Amino acid sequence: MTLLDHVPAARADGEGGRGREIVHALYALVRAEAAAEAQAAGVEAADLEQAVWLRLLERRTGPETPPDPARWVRAAVRAEARVARRRTRRERAYAGGEPPGDWAGCPERITVGADERRALRAAVGRLPGRCPRLLEAMLAAHDPTYREIAGELGMSQGSLGPMRSRCLGCLRRMLAAEVVAPEPWGMER
């Protein structure tokens, strides 16, 4: 669907056809000017085009075109690009991961994090064989290397990766069995 599909066709009394002519005459110019200014403004060209067409509709009180349409389009596109640049400078993108604001020292966040770490360490302690020692060594606060872990556990460095993989798979299965699976439509049992 194009912009011309949204402009009303000419009525029997002659009204409305002029709008279609204006859009048809200015369409290529608006598109080219918006494409030229969009990159520098930090917006998409289609958004800039839309803003210019809205500005034209707000300006138009009668069926007449601006006195110098090309000049008006250039001025309108540049004005909308300036507005977009100012808006971009004021807005801050959400970095993701952490909620906006200073949540690092939030008591709720500290408590939830401690509960999650406690539950993970308890589940690691219930693993069979050498898995608890291996995963405890990998979860150590000083972030040991594979060489240090292998020396601590008395095993070859090359067997740490496959053993870690098996232990994590076992931990995943154990934790999946403990978590209540939701019923259809998000309802819990």
Side-chain angles (χ1 to χ4, degrees):
M1 183 171 274
T2 66
L3 181 64
L4 291 173
D5 296 330
H6 294 287
V7 177
R11 295 191 311 228
D13 60 359
E15 287 291 314
R18 186 77 177 130
R20 188 176 277 273
E21 291 172 16
I22 293 170
V23 169
H24 201 63
L26 298 178
Y27 187 74
L29 182 60
V30 170
R31 177 163 251 176
E33 289 288 331
E37 291 286 332
Q39 183 71 25
V43 295
E44 293 192 25
D47 293 340
L48 206 51
E49 280 182 56
Q50 183 178 19
V52 171
W53 288 118
L54 285 173
R55 188 179 261 217
L56 178 65
L57 288 174
E58 289 169 352
R59 180 193 182 285
R60 258 177 43 103
T61 55
E64 72 279 349
T65 60
D68 185 3
R71 185 174 176 192
W72 182 89
V73 166
R74 282 188 210 96
V77 168
R78 289 188 180 111
E80 291 300 328
R82 278 192 305 273
V83 168
R85 274 192 294 275
R86 278 193 299 257
R87 187 180 326 113
T88 303
R89 275 194 303 260
R90 281 192 312 259
E91 292 176 350
R92 296 288 176 243
Y94 177 59
E98 295 296 319
D102 184 23
W103 288 73
C106 176
E108 291 88 1
R109 188 173 210 60
I110 292 169
T111 303
V112 168
D115 286 344
E116 288 173 350
R117 286 188 296 280
R118 198 174 306 115
L120 177 64
R121 294 209 183 263
V124 166
R126 293 191 310 265
L127 287 171
R130 296 168 66 176
C131 288
R133 286 190 60 212
L134 172 67
L135 293 181
E136 282 294 334
M138 291 192 159
L139 290 172
H142 66 279
D143 196 25
T145 64
Y146 266 33
R147 177 176 285 167
E148 294 169 343
I149 294 172
E152 181 182 324
L153 297 177
M155 56 191 304
S156 72
Q157 187 176 341
S159 63
L160 280 181
M163 185 174 173
R164 182 200 66 167
S165 180
R166 285 191 300 274
C167 292
L168 289 175
C170 186
L171 181 64
R172 258 187 233 104
R173 286 188 299 277
M174 182 190 318
L175 291 176
E178 292 177 6
V179 174
V180 176
E183 288 185 0
W185 302 288
M187 304 295 290
E188 290 187 16
R189 295 183 210 171

